Amino acid sequence: LSLGGNITNKVKIIEEGTHRQLAEMIQFPDNEIQRCAALALNGLLLGEHDEIKMRVFRETGSKSILSLISSNDEECVHSGIYMLGSLAENDEIRGTLVEIGSIKWLVDKFKLGPIEIKRAAGYFFSLISESAEYHKDMANAGGLETVISLASLVDSECQEYGAFSLAFLASNREYQIPLVNMGAVRPLVSMMATNAESKHYAGMALLKLADNFENHITIAEEGGIQALLRLGRSRVTDEEVQYKAALTVGHLATNAVNQLPKQQVIDKGVGFAAGSWKKRSGVKKMQATEIAREFVNNSLQKSKETT
């Protein structure tokens, strides 16, 4: 009944106080009973019905959820994390969940859990990352490293949650350099080379990280310039993003080349794009837009020749 799309059924179940009984059953020392009760309670929380979420959380608290997450049964853990994601869709509940330490719970479970648990945790992290007020909580609980690990997994759903989270975290200037130092660029560049849903969010995250000049060398080394060029030429990208990508490429080119040691060997660690620009005479005197235009034209010409 609770899994059905009929909101009337859910309201009736809540009015009868069944959610309180389900919460008590979740704490019963039997995994089978816990699984069944968690399934029913999760069904009540699914959907955009804030009143139901508020009442369930207000009258059952977090004790039953913590009981599930602390379980040695993976299915119970998954149900508990999934429940957190449904509750976190409500702004007020989200703040309370952060206050009671839910980010740390999920960071710890993410490290050892199977892919289903990682996906459920990823959805929760994406909701938390949307709000800048919780970014510090994410950082303190080890959430930044976890989101990067999420984006690095070979799973499209995890990658999408990871890229979405990084797009918001990278908007916070305080964490732009730490994210790059933790290795955020490589998974973003990898996602941008595919046609997956995560490609758009990965591009937005990389653009935000490139706003900080101190990240430019690392982005160039990891192939970020080529990735941004592809983003700028993508037919599914809106004009504003294309313009931002082209502008960023110019800034990256100018700043990356200017920071390179004069005697540095081109083939060691500066990336193909930076190396190409370094070989040209008088490159430091060229304007950023000219550099970007020249590189794009050369790349397109090479693509045509290959074809």
Side-chain angles (χ1 to χ4, degrees):
L1 287 172
S2 66
L3 282 169
N6 192 333
I7 183 62
T8 304
N9 291 341
K10 294 188 178 185
V11 171
K12 183 67 175 177
I13 291 172
I14 294 294
E15 288 177 348
E16 294 293 332
T18 310
H19 57 293
R20 291 191 292 272
Q21 297 171 3
L22 291 172
E24 292 175 1
M25 292 171 67
I26 284 175
Q27 299 178 58
F28 193 78
D30 183 286
N31 287 340
E32 195 63 35
I33 292 178
Q34 289 178 332
R35 293 171 193 161
C36 293
L39 176 62
L41 197 55
N42 261 318
L44 286 173
L45 295 172
L46 284 174
E48 301 178 357
H49 313 295
D50 280 346
E51 292 183 7
I52 290 179
K53 296 180 194 291
M54 287 295 298
R55 184 164 177 181
V56 169
F57 188 70
R58 188 166 53 244
E59 296 182 14
T60 64
S62 60
K63 191 174 181 180
S64 57
I65 301 175
L66 184 56
S67 176
L68 286 171
I69 295 177
S70 303
S71 173
N72 292 323
D73 182 78
E74 289 183 352
E75 192 172 335
C76 287
V77 174
H78 176 260
S79 293
I81 296 176
Y82 198 95
M83 204 176 294
L84 278 178
S86 295
L87 288 168
E89 292 172 351
N90 178 279
D91 294 340
E92 186 176 340
I93 297 176
R94 190 185 310 155
T96 303
L97 290 174
V98 171
E99 289 177 4
I100 63 177
S102 58
I103 298 176
K104 189 66 170 67
W105 301 347
L106 268 61
V107 166
D108 292 338
K109 288 297 178 181
F110 180 90
K111 295 175 182 176
L112 302 175
I115 196 64
E116 291 78 11
I117 287 179
K118 294 183 189 299
R119 289 170 182 165
Y123 181 67
F124 178 81
F125 289 135
S126 68
L127 292 172
I128 299 299
S129 299
E130 279 188 278
S131 302
E133 61 183 302
Y134 304 133
H135 288 181
K136 185 175 182 180
D137 297 285
M138 284 282 287
N140 292 340
L144 302 186
E145 297 92 331
T146 303
V147 166
I148 294 172
S149 297
L150 186 70
S152 302
L153 293 173
V154 187
D155 180 82
S156 58
E157 188 174 341
C158 288
Q159 287 179 349
E160 187 168 358
Y161 291 143
F164 183 88
S165 300
L166 285 172
F168 283 95
L169 291 168
S171 299
N172 191 325
R173 192 165 183 82
E174 183 178 352
Y175 300 108
Q176 288 173 345
I177 295 176
L179 284 170
V180 169
N181 291 338
M182 291 174 190
V185 176
R186 182 164 296 179
L188 293 175
V189 170
S190 297
M191 280 185 271
M192 290 172 68
T194 69
N195 291 319
E197 292 292 328
S198 57
K199 180 178 182 178
H200 173 75
Y201 298 123
M204 298 304 296
L206 190 59
L207 284 171
K208 289 297 182 181
L209 292 176
D211 282 343
N212 196 309
F213 276 24
E214 292 187 43
N215 291 333
H216 285 187
I217 285 292
T218 302
I219 292 175
E221 290 175 347
E222 297 288 352
I225 295 178
Q226 298 96 309
L228 289 172
L229 283 169
R230 287 194 296 268
L231 180 67
R233 296 198 301 266
S234 175
R235 295 179 180 179
V236 297
T237 307
D238 60 64
E239 292 183 1
E240 184 177 351
V241 174
Q242 288 179 329
Y243 172 78
K244 174 67 173 174
L247 195 63
T248 303
V249 166
H251 291 161
L252 276 165
T254 303
N255 192 48
V257 170
N258 286 340
Q259 289 188 44
L260 292 176
K262 292 181 179 180
Q263 301 301 321
Q264 183 169 7
V265 179
I266 302 307
D267 293 333
K268 294 183 179 180
V270 299
F272 169 75
S276 298
W277 289 317
K278 181 67 175 177
K279 291 175 184 176
R280 301 193 183 101
S281 60
V283 67
K284 293 185 179 181
K285 298 179 181 179
M286 296 174 68
Q287 294 298 318
T289 52
E290 293 175 353
I291 295 173
R293 187 182 299 110
E294 183 176 348
F295 187 78
V296 171
N297 290 336
N298 289 342
S299 298
L300 289 173
Q301 184 61 39
K302 288 180 181 179
S303 299
K304 291 178 181 178
E305 292 173 357
T306 303
T307 304

